Amino acid sequence: MATIIKTKTGKDITLLNPNEKGKKYAKELKEKRKYTNSNKLKCDKDGVVVNLDCCSASYRMGYLAARKDNAKAYCAKNGIKSKAKPRTKKK
């Protein structure tokens, strides 16, 4: 569950656990837009919604791939059937 922390200046900061961070990244990749940790669209100084650029998208894809690989390794080590679906090539 996300943790909301109040700073000395009174600003609220939302901290996500790894599961929530993965869901946020998957949503951003699907919609090609950036979101804040409190699930609001991220805007620049002019109020224009910030789109996901190439570099940010690749970082998020790598993060999700690493989580999937770690889950597969954990399941293999502990003799658990993996819930992760194998990757298939798109035609």
Side-chain angles (χ1 to χ4, degrees):
M1 186 168 187
T3 305
I4 300 172
I5 296 175
K6 190 169 280 239
T7 62
K8 292 178 182 178
T9 59
K11 184 178 179 183
D12 289 336
I13 298 176
T14 305
L15 302 175
L16 301 177
N17 63 34
N19 184 35
E20 292 168 331
K21 188 174 177 182
K23 286 181 182 180
K24 176 187 168 211
Y25 282 177
K27 182 179 179 181
E28 287 179 342
L29 285 170
K30 186 176 182 180
E31 297 181 13
K32 295 183 171 87
R33 293 183 172 182
K34 289 187 177 182
Y35 283 87
T36 62
N37 284 349
S38 54
N39 206 22
K40 296 177 185 171
L41 281 172
K42 207 174 254 191
C43 298
D44 61 5
K45 294 178 183 178
D46 299 327
V48 178
V49 175
V50 179
N51 291 327
L52 201 61
D53 60 342
C54 223
C55 185
S56 298
S58 62
Y59 174 82
R60 284 154 175 72
M61 285 185 259
Y63 181 85
L64 294 175
R67 283 186 46 98
K68 188 180 276 189
D69 290 343
N70 285 339
K72 285 181 184 178
Y74 175 82
C75 290
K77 182 179 177 183
N78 294 313
I80 302 169
K81 278 197 169 184
S82 178
K83 293 181 183 178
K85 297 176 187 174
R87 293 183 190 165
T88 57
K89 292 183 179 180
K90 293 183 180 179
K91 293 183 182 180

